[in-house]
């Protein structure tokens, strides 16, 4: 069992190094979950740091901000009691005017998830409030999360 665990830790470490998306203070650490901000930075190329909720303000003057999703853009969730540091997800695909798919990390147990449905439930259709697919129950989550909008990657 110990050998199996060690092999799994090595695999996780290599994966984490390849992504540059490890948690903790040192690059390559396989202890703890993959965090959303380093993962989004690596996948999107948007070079922002700090708490996920702070990305919206940090992007001003450096990246274009929008209330419409585009593939490769980063959806920035506001800090709330459920997600005190906010959250960031990378838009993978636009499905409809009010539904997208995202890739993100640490929404469920520190894992990376790809192609996750997110739907706009804001009254004005401006993506200021969303619901996110909740994999443990296999359906859209019941909670509504406030968001700032999308940071668009440089072209």
């Amino acid at each position: 069992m110990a050998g199996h665990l060690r092999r799994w830790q090595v695999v996780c470490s290599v994966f984490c190094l390849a992504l540059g998306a490890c948690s903790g203070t040192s690059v390559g650490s396989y202890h703890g979950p993959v965090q959303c901000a380093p993962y989004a930075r690596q996948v999107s190329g948007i070079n922002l740091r700090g708490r996920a909720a702070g990305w919206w303000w940090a992007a001003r003057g450096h990246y274009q901000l929008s209330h419409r999703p585009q593939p490769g853009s980063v959806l920035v969730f506001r800090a709330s009691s459920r997600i005190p540091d906010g959250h960031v997800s990378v838009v993978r695909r636009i499905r409809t005017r009010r539904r997208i798919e995202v890739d993100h990390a640490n929404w469920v147990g520190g894992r990376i998830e790809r192609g996750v449905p997110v739907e706009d439930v804001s009254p004005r259709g401006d993506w200021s409030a969303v619901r996110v697919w909740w994999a443990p129950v296999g359906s859209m989550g019941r909670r509504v999360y406030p968001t700032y909008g999308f940071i668009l990657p440089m072209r």
Side-chain angles (χ1 to χ4, degrees):
M1 181 68 167
H4 243 24
L5 179 59
R6 180 67 190 137
R7 278 192 297 275
W8 176 247
Q9 288 173 334
V10 169
V11 168
C12 289
S13 181
V14 169
F15 176 73
C16 207
L17 278 170
L19 273 181
C22 301
S23 64
T25 56
S26 64
V27 174
S29 170
Y30 50 79
H31 304 289
V34 177
Q35 299 296 316
C36 66
Y39 176 77
R41 183 172 43 254
Q42 180 70 29
V43 171
S44 70
I46 292 176
N47 191 21
L48 297 173
R49 305 217 179 267
R51 292 176 54 231
W55 280 33
W56 185 256
W57 306 109
R60 289 178 175 243
H62 302 284
Y63 295 93
Q64 185 178 352
L65 304 176
S66 178
H67 293 285
R68 289 190 170 168
Q70 291 182 15
S73 63
V74 173
L75 175 58
V76 182
F77 291 68
R78 294 174 181 260
S80 68
S81 62
R82 301 289 300 168
I83 48 174
D85 290 327
H87 184 73
V88 285
S89 296
V90 180
V91 177
R92 170 183 276 236
R93 184 175 295 119
I94 312 295
R95 286 295 184 190
T96 68
R97 191 173 60 81
R98 288 196 168 226
R99 188 172 273 230
I100 61 176
E101 289 180 10
V102 302
D103 296 344
H104 61 185
N106 205 21
W107 190 256
V108 178
R111 294 191 320 247
I112 293 170
E113 297 177 288
R114 293 181 178 85
V116 176
V118 175
E119 66 182 3
D120 174 23
V121 294
S122 64
R124 293 185 303 231
D126 62 2
W127 289 89
S128 60
V130 300
R131 289 186 332 139
V132 180
W133 181 264
W134 186 241
V137 297
S139 67
M140 292 304 288
R142 291 180 302 199
R143 288 192 172 84
V144 173
Y145 293 92
T147 67
Y148 288 109
F150 300 90
I151 301 171
L152 306 181
M154 291 185 182
R155 299 205 182 261

